[in-house]
Amino acid sequence: MLNAALDLTRLRLLAEVSRHGSMTSAAAALAYTPSAISQQIRRLESDVGQPLVDRHHRGVSLTEAGRVIVEHTLAIERNLEALQVRLDDIAGLREGSLRLGTFPTVASSLLPLAVTGYRRAYPGVRLSVHSARLSQLLDLLDRRSVELAFLWEYEWSRVTTDSLELKIVTEDPTALVVAASHRLAGRISVDVSELAEESWIIRGDNHPVAEVLSRTAHAAGFEPSVAFEANDYQEAQAMVAVGMGIALAPRLALANLRADVRVLRLDGYAPSRRILLARLASRAQTPAEQAMADVILDLGRSGRAGV
């Protein structure tokens, strides 16, 4: 029975003997002694359980089994050479893959810039993106279904886990959205204290921006009057546009702004969220992953991560 753990070095020695026509010539080419070559061939014959060379005064010739082994050894060497080329391509980002996790407001603002820059620099890398909620993104990282993921946090809900390596991409400030016809529409900024009598559009289902409004209003000394709970930021903009109320939103959530609303900067206390780039700390970082992290963090440093 064939030994499943055949020594590749011995297989290559047999191929060299075949190429040079004798053990002496093969030994000279490889800086071995003829006796060392002969010993390794005998061990290989023991491994396969049958003779591989016919020894005669003119040198050696291969048996049928020897020819089969050399044929497959040459194929192995070609595959190993092809493997090295592929590995070099992956290391050089000429091929490879990357799975990235994100969430909707980043996917509609910062991420397109990152994807465009990445594909321009590394067109051979296959990129796939998964959009999900925060808890799902954490699960995707934990299950190694993505290599990198955008996460977010507020000062009262930090992402704290030793299993993740976290890098800050950018601070995403909270902005005020009003109708184009609103009394404040011509302003650049407004103090939160000026908004005590307004009606508010918030995100439903205990969305974090509802907590932002509550904390912002309470810090300014008033209780916000909620007129509408929206399912997403586009719906919130629509209700703001028709005068149902005003709304708070992270700046990155306002990449696709309606023509009939205006965005104002908030003066006073208005908590911002922090955009993070996360990876599993226990995973070895791939070249494709490192390159994407560099692109994203460069966007953050350059200030182009906002809208």
Side-chain angles (χ1 to χ4, degrees):
M1 178 178 290
L2 181 66
N3 187 336
L6 289 178
D7 187 295
L8 182 57
T9 299
R10 292 173 187 158
L11 297 177
R12 283 172 160 166
L13 286 176
L14 181 64
E16 288 298 319
V17 169
S18 173
R19 183 177 295 119
H20 292 280
S22 74
M23 293 188 188
T24 300
S25 297
L30 298 173
Y32 276 67
T33 64
S35 62
I37 294 282
S38 179
Q39 184 181 50
Q40 293 300 315
I41 297 301
R42 290 189 186 281
R43 287 182 180 176
L44 181 59
E45 289 176 323
S46 176
D47 288 340
V48 301
Q50 54 187 301
L52 301 177
V53 296
D54 288 325
R55 295 165 175 81
H56 46 76
H57 67 278
R58 294 186 306 277
V60 297
S61 58
L62 298 182
T63 65
E64 185 175 1
R67 289 193 295 272
V68 168
I69 283 183
V70 168
E71 177 186 337
H72 283 271
T73 299
L74 295 177
I76 289 169
E77 290 182 332
R78 288 193 295 270
N79 285 332
L80 288 174
E81 290 170 0
L83 171 60
Q84 187 61 58
V85 170
R86 295 288 301 277
L87 291 174
D88 290 344
D89 283 344
I90 291 171
L93 293 169
R94 292 180 292 275
E95 73 166 85
S97 65
L98 177 66
R99 299 165 299 174
L100 179 65
T102 188
F103 53 95
T105 53
V106 162
S108 63
S109 54
L110 188 158
L111 182 60
L113 296 173
V115 169
T116 298
Y118 191 80
R119 283 186 164 164
R120 185 184 300 119
Y122 312 111
V125 178
R126 300 184 306 280
L127 180 63
S128 61
V129 180
H130 306 263
S131 183
R133 295 179 181 272
L134 181 62
S135 60
Q136 295 169 318
L137 291 169
L138 291 169
D139 184 56
L140 287 171
L141 283 165
D142 187 58
R143 290 190 289 110
R144 300 173 182 253
S145 297
V146 296
E147 285 83 34
L148 290 172
F150 285 103
L151 306 178
W152 56 263
E153 64 178 13
Y154 283 99
E155 60 189 36
W156 58 86
S157 59
R158 296 297 192 200
V159 178
T160 54
T161 170
D162 292 337
S163 67
L164 295 180
E165 179 185 296
L166 302 171
K167 294 185 178 179
I168 300 171
V169 178
T170 189
E171 293 285 338
D172 189 14
T174 297
L176 179 69
V177 186
V178 302
S181 58
H182 193 275
R183 64 183 177 86
L184 298 171
R187 300 267 293 273
I188 295 173
S189 65
V190 60
D191 193 276
V192 176
S193 62
E194 299 178 61
L195 307 173
E197 302 304 317
E198 296 286 343
S199 295
W200 291 89
I201 312 297
I202 66 169
R203 291 288 304 274
D205 297 326
N206 296 315
H207 191 276
V209 80
E211 177 75 8
V212 172
L213 173 59
S214 177
R215 289 173 178 263
T216 300
H218 292 167
F222 67 90
E223 187 69 35
S225 174
V226 176
F228 186 83
E229 294 189 9
N231 288 306
D232 57 43
Y233 287 112
Q234 288 304 111
E235 187 178 44
Q237 282 192 47
M239 293 300 100
V240 167
V242 298
M244 283 288 294
I246 62 177
L248 297 184
R251 286 289 307 186
L252 289 178
L254 302 174
N256 301 305
L257 197 64
R258 292 175 60 102
D260 48 5
V261 300
R262 300 291 182 267
V263 177
L264 283 68
R265 187 182 73 246
L266 283 169
D267 296 328
Y269 176 75
S272 61
R273 68 178 180 176
R274 182 180 288 174
I275 306 301
L276 307 171
L277 188 64
R279 60 179 299 274
L280 272 183
S282 60
R283 280 188 59 260
Q285 195 169 40
T286 67
E289 180 184 333
Q290 179 62 60
M292 176 58 87
D294 290 343
V295 169
I296 291 169
L297 295 174
D298 282 348
L299 282 173
R301 285 189 291 267
S302 70
R304 291 184 293 148
V307 296

